[in-house]
C-alpha cells in the first residue's frame, strides 16, 4: 500500500452498502412512486389526446360566400335601381328570384336615363304594367348563357317570345346595346350588363 492513501474499503462493507440500497422495501417504494406518477399523468395525457381528436381540422381554403339570385345581385350592385323598381312594378321579382336559370341583359341606371324624358315614369304607372313586363322580359333569355356561348350566337329567343339580335364581331352587341360587363354569375343564372335599354318591336 502506498503511503498517504486511505485503505480500500473492505469487500464486505461494499456488499453491505449495495445490499442496503437494493432492499426489497426500497424497490417496492420506488416502483409505487413511479406508478403514482404515471397514474397522475394519465388523465393529462388522456385529455390532450381527446382534445387533439375533437379539434376541428384546419380548413385549407376560405369558404366562398354563397351566390345571390339575379334580383339580389342587381340590387346589391347599386347601379340597377331603376331596373329593380321596374321589376317590382311589373311583378317580375318573384320570377327572377326563382330557380331559373335565366340570362339577363341588364340595363344600368345610366342606360334607362338615355330613354326620352318621362319614359321611365310613364312605364312605372300601373296601367302600363303589361307594356313594362313586355320590355323587361325582352331582356331575359331562358337558361344560363355565358359569354363564351353568347359570342357563338347571332340571335336568341327571349322570354318575351321575340328574338334579340347578337353581334360579336366587335365586342358583343345585343340589338343596339353593348355588353359592358359579362358573366356576372348568380345563384339562378347570369347577368350581362348592357349600356342601353333594348325595346321589342
Amino acid at each position: 500500500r502506498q503511503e498517504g492513501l486511505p485503505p480500500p474499503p473492505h469487500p464486505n462493507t461494499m456488499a453491505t452498502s449495495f445490499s442496503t440500497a437494493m432492499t426489497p422495501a426500497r424497490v417496492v417504494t420506488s416502483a409505487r412512486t413511479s406508478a403514482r406518477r404515471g397514474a397522475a399523468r394519465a388523465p393529462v395525457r388522456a385529455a390532450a389526446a381527446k382534445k387533439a381528436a375533437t379539434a376541428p381540422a384546419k380548413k385549407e381554403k376560405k369558404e366562398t360566400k354563397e351566390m345571390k339570385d339575379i334580383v339580389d345581385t342587381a340590387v346589391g350592385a347599386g347601379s340597377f335601381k331603376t331596373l329593380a323598381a321596374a321589376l317590382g312594378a311589373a311583378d317580375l321579382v318573384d320570377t327572377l328570384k326563382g330557380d331559373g336559370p335565366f340570362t339577363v341583359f341588364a340595363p344600368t341606371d345610366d342606360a334607362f336615363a338615355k330613354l326620352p324624358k318621362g319614359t321611365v315614369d310613364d312605364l312605372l304607372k300601373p296601367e302600363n304594367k303589361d307594356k313594362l313586363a313586355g320590355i323587361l322580359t325582352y331582356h331575359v333569355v331562358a337558361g344560363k348563357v355565358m359569354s363564351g356561348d353568347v359570342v357563338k350566337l347571332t340571335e336568341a329567343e327571349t322570354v318575351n317570345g321575340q328574338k334579340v339580335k347578337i353581334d360579336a364581331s366587335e365586342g358583343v352587341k345585343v340589338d343596339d346595346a353593348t355588353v359592358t360587363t359579362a358573366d356576372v354569375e348568380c345563384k339562378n343564372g347570369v347577368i350581362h350588363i348592357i349600356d342601353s335599354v333594348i325595346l321589342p318591336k
Side-chain angles (χ1 to χ4, degrees), residues 80-197:
F80 299 96
K81 294 177 182 177
T82 306
L83 177 61
L87 290 172
D91 285 340
L92 292 174
V93 171
D94 288 342
T95 300
L96 292 181
K97 287 178 74 70
D99 293 337
F102 303 104
T103 297
V104 177
F105 296 103
T108 61
D109 292 335
D110 289 341
F112 276 100
K114 291 180 180 180
L115 294 173
K117 187 177 180 179
T119 300
V120 174
D121 291 336
D122 190 53
L123 288 172
L124 292 176
K125 292 178 180 179
E127 59 267 29
N128 292 324
K129 177 180 175 181
D130 290 342
K131 183 179 181 180
L132 177 61
I135 293 172
L136 294 176
T137 54
Y138 187 63
H139 291 74
V140 182
V141 174
K144 186 175 182 178
V145 187
M146 303 298 287
S147 60
D149 296 316
V150 171
V151 297
K152 300 174 185 177
L153 303 175
T154 55
E155 61 181 23
E157 185 172 351
T158 68
V159 174
N160 169 289
Q162 296 186 41
K163 295 180 179 181
V164 291
K165 294 180 180 180
I166 296 175
D167 182 1
S169 58
E170 293 182 11
V172 177
K173 291 184 72 70
V174 181
D175 281 353
D176 293 326
T178 298
V179 175
T180 57
T181 303
D183 296 342
V184 180
E185 289 195 73
C186 309
K187 182 170 64 176
N188 59 343
V190 63
I191 293 173
H192 302 301
I193 301 173
I194 55 177
D195 64 354
S196 301
V197 177

